[in-house]
Amino acid sequence: MSSRARWAATAAALTLGAALAAPPANAEPAATAAPAISLSAGEHALIRFRLPDQATLDRLVASGADLAARPRTDSGAVLADLVVDDAQLRTLTASGAVPVQLIERESDAAARKPAGITRLQADTLQFLQAYWWTTNGKTFLQTQVATTATDDPDVEITVTWKTADGTTGTYPLVRFEDSGEYQYHYALPQPLPGKPVTVTASSSLGGTSRAVTPATWPGATPPPTPAGYQKDFIAAYMTPADIAARIKRLARQYPKLVDVINLPNKTQGYRRNAVAYLGDPAVAAVVVESVKFGDQSMNGVQVRTVDPGAPNRALSASYADRVLTVRLATDGAGKTISTTDDVAAFISAKYPQRFRAVVETGSAGLPMPVVAPVRLDDGLKGTEVSQKPWTVQALRIGKVRDGSKIGVLAYSQEHAREWATPLVTLELAERLLANYATDPATRELVDNVDVFVVPTVNPDGANYSFNDFNFQRKNLVNHCTGANRDPRYRDSWGVDLNRNYTVGSYFDGYVGGNANCLSGTYAGTAELSEAESSNVIALASAHPNIRFAMNVHSYGGYFMWPPGSYKAEGRVTLPRPTIDESKFFLDSARRIVGAIAAERGTVTWPAYTGPVADVLYSAAGNSADQLYYELGIDAWDFEVGNDRWNEATQEWEGVGFQPPFDEAHAEAQEYAGGLVELVRVAKNAQDQAGS
């Protein structure tokens, strides 16, 4: 209801028998209370009124009156400052409210403006994106608009669309800032009744854009697959052991087309140090941890504290028969006097090659209790998982595998919890190999492109995600020290491998990595400190014919390329690709996004297509940046698992890292199609270079 309508409703209520029908008996006549105050037609003013009682004020507040300051009581009446127009002034006066002061008129403001300010300047608006598409019979529109009023956080922008039959509609955009810098106004894709033919934008400052005709997205369609084309080789989520078995089978099945490459740096393996609380963490405890991993004969080792039962004993310890016995110090009366700090320091100093110990958080300086034997254990639940160091493997697929053909690298599961991503890269491998003998188009690709596939970059983290903590993002290497090695933090240990590379890294001052070992984006102790990230670069460096790469992540439905990071102050990104390179990235993206959409109509949004730093966030030290800036590889990133439109709720809904397998299976099929198109992009580039 408008302000004027609310006032009208209030006036009606008062007229129909409110307490203000007549002034109270002890009220002064309005004529003697204050000089007459009047307003011209349509004029607004700030006026102080004397109201007869609190109930009157309550009715005004409930009606939506424009109350300008806190009311106060004066001799039993209520004084209230209200912004009113001429009609509202008459309504209040007729109802018994007495205007006692004209504080300021609307017209007063003009004379009080600072010199040089005459009117609000309209801003200039420009569409950065205006795309439409149809998926599953539904039409969507997505737009981005930039305003020249970049420093005004209150600018409101509205988009108006029109379809061919004359139907129109509007929707608001929201302001997007990144690292404190204005980027644009945007909205999620909007459902429309048909193809939009024009869009315009207008702002609350009076700016209006020129009319724009939205373009179709992605505007590219892959060549059709022939009858009998084989696909759908994925039947379930796959653990690292499953993936290793699939690699072995493919090498055995297609010996003339496949090499298996053992990457040079073995990972830690699915291993943790064995650990136990010596004491009660709720009262007083020391965390005792084996220096070696639990599987190295340290799981099951016992540790205890004892009272020596004699006065004036020094703190001591012995280790025999896999039992560490700590004898607490005593005073002259035979009472134990060792603290938690004493015990932790003593164990670490006496057995530096076997044990380390820290005081459990909250237990510092407390008396060390006598504790019955407790068993050290690595806490890992995957009883069927090998705990030996892991050799990460790559499939090399091609008729000619001597480096003379252009190379494509597809790698996945840098982040352990992204279970669907190895399904995408393995589906690619299976399609290239299974269709080689029967499909001429596939044969042409395999004969002319050298394809490298690393299904799981991070096998240790993946094993932990499958068996212990499904949201594990990082690897299993624990660089934490001191109290951060407390087992309560076990699901936060590890290095984010996609923050561990050398270009635009956290160590160089870029945004998106972290020095906190418990952070989800912990960058490690140094650039390429981890075996897993070093393997990716070693593979690419050893095969300089690799000119294209795709890093497969989940989820969200993004398609991205460098730059992937920026420095916070001024939001300064890594150097931008040239105009020609940027065009190639986008043109290739349209082809690949079109191939993804061909499977089940899934469309990667135009707003989610572009440089990582622009469409997602700054990811300091990511692998695509190193491949692109240091090795000259055109490097892209997938985020599989696009949001799904819910027609019933009219909302976009996320799918997650480990969706029901039917969804993961569909993601594997559509994004494998995108990877096949990437291989085709590579072949086209080689053809053009040779022409």
Side-chain angles (χ1 to χ4, degrees):
M1 182 182 292
S2 69
S3 176
R4 184 176 293 274
R6 286 194 296 265
W7 276 95
T10 301
L14 294 172
T15 302
L16 290 173
L20 289 181
N26 60 351
E28 297 182 33
T32 62
I37 295 173
S38 63
L39 298 175
S40 58
E43 184 182 12
H44 290 76
L46 175 61
I47 299 175
R48 179 164 295 171
F49 290 90
R50 179 181 292 117
L51 307 178
D53 53 29
Q54 181 65 38
T56 303
L57 175 64
D58 292 342
R59 286 193 293 271
L60 288 171
V61 171
S63 72
D66 192 347
L67 192 64
R70 180 177 177 177
R72 61 181 185 271
T73 302
D74 180 28
S75 302
V78 177
L79 295 178
D81 297 351
L82 299 168
V83 176
V84 297
D85 61 16
D86 59 304
Q88 293 163 347
L89 172 62
R90 288 192 297 273
T91 298
L92 277 169
T93 302
S95 300
V98 179
V100 296
Q101 180 189 356
L102 176 60
I103 300 174
E104 61 180 332
R105 294 178 182 271
E106 181 179 1
S107 57
D108 294 339
R112 297 170 184 168
K113 288 181 180 179
I117 298 179
T118 56
R119 64 183 179 86
L120 197 63
Q121 296 294 319
D123 54 339
T124 300
L125 303 179
Q126 172 68 21
F127 276 94
L128 302 182
Q129 285 189 353
Y131 291 107
W132 72 276
W133 64 90
T134 299
T135 180
N136 298 325
K138 193 76 178 178
T139 300
F140 294 94
L141 169 68
Q142 185 165 57
T143 53
Q144 291 179 355
V145 177
T147 172
T148 53
T150 58
D151 295 331
D152 187 343
D154 298 321
V155 175
E156 298 176 355
I157 296 179
T158 301
V159 168
T160 300
W161 52 264
K162 181 180 180 180
T163 59
D165 64 0
T167 302
T168 63
T170 64
Y171 59 88
L173 303 182
V174 295
R175 178 183 176 92
F176 174 61
E177 289 187 1
D178 190 24
S179 195
E181 300 288 333
Y182 171 77
Q183 303 299 304
Y184 45 75
H185 283 67
Y186 78 104
L188 296 179
Q190 301 291 307
L192 264 61
K195 170 187 172 180
V197 293
T198 60
V199 289
T200 56
S202 59
S203 86
S204 56
L205 297 180
T208 302
S209 76
R210 59 184 173 85
V212 171
T213 300
T216 57
W217 179 263
T221 304
T225 55
Y229 184 84
Q230 298 180 67
K231 61 180 184 178
D232 197 359
F233 296 92
I234 304 301
Y237 281 123
M238 301 178 70
T239 68
D242 298 329
I243 291 168
R246 182 68 63 96
I247 290 173
K248 185 176 181 180
R249 191 262 289 170
L250 291 174
R252 184 175 62 250
Q253 187 175 356
Y254 302 100
K256 294 183 179 181
L257 298 177
V258 172
D259 291 331
V260 176
I261 301 174
N262 291 329
L263 300 187
N265 305 292
K266 288 190 175 184
T267 70
Q268 169 181 291
Y270 178 65
R271 301 195 291 181
R272 284 271 172 86
N273 304 87
V275 65
Y277 286 114
L278 187 60
D280 183 351
V283 181
V286 167
V287 177
V288 180
E289 179 184 19
S290 65
V291 172
K292 293 182 178 181
F293 294 114
D295 68 302
Q296 296 174 308
S297 300
M298 295 306 293
N299 281 333
V301 166
Q302 299 180 65
V303 59
R304 63 177 180 163
T305 57
V306 298
D307 182 344
N312 299 315
R313 298 287 182 168
L315 182 61
S316 64
S318 61
Y319 181 69
D321 299 326
R322 291 171 48 83
V323 178
L324 172 63
T325 300
V326 179
R327 296 173 184 84
L328 303 177
T330 58
D331 61 14
K335 179 183 177 182
T336 59
I337 57 173
S338 297
T339 66
T340 52
D341 301 78
D342 297 333
V343 171
F346 185 82
I347 292 173
S348 297
K350 185 172 179 61
Y351 299 102
Q353 304 303 316
R354 194 180 299 273
F355 301 105
R356 52 179 162 246
V358 297
V359 178
E360 202 276 333
T361 303
S363 295
L366 296 178
M368 185 69 209
V370 173
V371 181
V374 294
R375 302 176 69 88
L376 303 186
D377 189 83
D378 61 17
L380 297 172
K381 301 173 185 175
T383 57
E384 298 179 358
V385 179
S386 169
Q387 294 186 310
K388 296 184 181 300
W390 195 279
T391 298
V392 179
Q393 293 182 314
L395 284 164
R396 185 178 189 178
I397 300 170
K399 179 65 175 178
V400 180
R401 304 185 298 280
D402 59 5
S404 62
K405 301 294 185 181
I406 195 167
V408 172
L409 168 62
Y411 58 111
S412 50
Q413 206 168 34
E414 275 188 325
H415 292 148
R417 63 193 177 192
E418 298 170 5
W419 293 3
T421 61
L423 311 185
V424 176
T425 49
L426 282 172
E427 177 72 17
L428 164 69
E430 293 270 15
R431 289 188 187 184
L432 293 177
L433 295 169
N435 291 292
Y436 181 81
T438 57
D439 175 30
T442 299
R443 186 180 310 116
E444 187 176 16
L445 293 179
V446 176
D447 283 350
N448 292 282
V449 183
D450 200 357
V451 181
F452 298 80
V453 177
V454 185
T456 178
V457 171
N458 181 13
D460 302 344
N463 278 320
Y464 194 78
S465 179
F466 274 105
N467 292 283
D468 300 270
F469 177 59
N470 68 301
F471 286 129
Q472 177 75 10
R473 170 183 170 94
K474 303 183 286 182
N475 70 359
L476 283 197
V477 178
N478 183 5
H479 291 299
C480 289
T481 58
N484 283 340
R485 295 188 73 91
D486 189 319
R488 71 174 68 185
Y489 303 125
R490 63 185 306 108
D491 292 337
S492 298
W493 295 333
V495 175
D496 181 349
L497 300 175
N498 207 31
R499 300 296 183 274
N500 190 234
Y501 295 87
T502 68
V503 174
S505 74
Y506 163 81
F507 303 98
D508 293 331
Y510 286 80
V511 174
N514 201 294
N516 181 351
C517 69
L518 301 178
S519 166
T521 56
Y522 174 51
T525 57
E527 295 169 349
L528 292 180
S529 62
E530 306 308 297
E532 296 90 343
S533 52
S534 298
N535 278 333
V536 173
I537 301 307
L539 178 64
S541 299
H543 300 90
N545 63 316
I546 295 175
R547 309 313 310 152
F548 299 92
M550 183 69 74
N551 187 5
V552 184
H553 283 270
S554 77
Y555 65 100
Y558 293 81
F559 191 100
M560 303 172 291
W561 54 85
S565 57
Y566 54 71
K567 293 187 175 181
E569 188 173 352
R571 198 182 178 278
V572 179
T573 69
L574 290 165
R576 297 278 176 171
T578 66
I579 293 174
D580 288 341
E581 288 175 323
S582 296
K583 183 178 185 303
F584 177 76
F585 274 128
L586 181 58
D587 289 347
S588 301
R590 285 177 177 270
R591 290 178 55 178
I592 296 168
V593 169
I596 294 168
E599 177 68 27
R600 59 167 177 165
T602 297
V603 175
T604 298
W605 301 345
Y608 283 7
T609 303
V612 176
D614 295 341
V615 304
L616 188 57
Y617 45 56
S618 178
N622 69 85
S623 56
D625 278 348
Q626 184 168 354
L627 292 175
Y628 175 68
Y629 291 101
E630 283 201 348
L631 299 179
I633 296 171
D634 288 335
W636 285 275
D637 300 277
F638 276 154
E639 292 278 353
V640 310
N642 302 53
D643 282 7
R644 316 304 299 171
W645 176 254
N646 186 323
E647 184 66 24
T649 63
Q650 296 287 290
E651 298 284 348
W652 291 100
E653 296 178 345
V655 299
F657 299 112
Q658 300 133 25
F661 180 72
D662 285 349
E663 169 62 25
H665 172 265
E667 293 170 15
Q669 300 309 305
E670 61 193 2
Y671 276 87
L675 288 180
V676 171
E677 188 65 25
L678 172 61
V679 177
R680 191 174 289 115
V681 167
K683 181 188 178 300
N684 293 158
Q686 178 166 270
D687 292 345
Q688 293 171 8
S691 61

